[in-house]
């Protein structure tokens, strides 16, 4: 089942994000097989201020565990996190079956 994990950073936390990024990337390497796609949310000036990941896991409990295990959580980087079930409908300009 697909879930979208959306994270918004606390204001003025780019330095924290960058300093803790190696641990975050190391974690993502351990779960990369469950990531469908992901990327950065950007502020108007182009700096990262959050992220979106679509993950493929069994259920909401697994999605929550996936999100909670990110080292960024322990650093207090995020102002808000949402985890929502997602049903893909389009991919690469085409309808999905």
């Amino acid at each position: 089942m697909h879930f979208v994990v959306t994270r918004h950073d606390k204001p003025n936390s780019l330095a924290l994000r960058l300093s803790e990024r190696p641990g975050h990337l190391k974690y993502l390497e351990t779960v990369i097989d469950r990531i469908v796609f992901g990327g950065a949310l950007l502020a108007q000036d182009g700096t990262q201020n959050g992220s979106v990941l679509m993950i493929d896991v069994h259920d909401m409990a697994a999605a929550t565990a996936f999100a909670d295990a990110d080292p960024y959580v322990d650093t207090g980087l995020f102002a808000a996190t949402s985890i929502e079930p997602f049903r893909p409908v389009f991919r690469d300009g085409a309808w999905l079956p």
Side-chain angles (χ1 to χ4, degrees), residues 14 42-49:
L14 182 59
L42 302 177
Q44 292 295 329
D45 66 1
T47 59
Q48 186 170 356
N49 66 358

Side-chain angles (χ1 to χ4, degrees), residues 5-64:
V5 180
T6 306
R7 309 263 183 152
H8 295 276
D9 297 355
K10 290 180 179 174
N12 304 309
S13 60
L14 182 59
L16 174 61
R17 171 175 280 284
L18 295 176
S19 71
E20 300 299 325
R21 191 165 191 257
H24 167 71
L25 294 177
K26 186 176 179 180
Y27 168 67
L28 292 181
E29 285 293 327
T30 69
V31 294
I32 200 156
D33 61 318
R34 290 174 254 165
I35 300 172
V36 178
F37 70 79
L41 295 175
L42 302 177
Q44 292 295 329
D45 66 1
T47 59
Q48 186 170 356
N49 66 358
S51 60
V52 174
L53 287 175
M54 180 189 289
I55 59 174
D56 187 0
V57 295
H58 184 69
D59 56 20
M60 180 60 85
T64 300

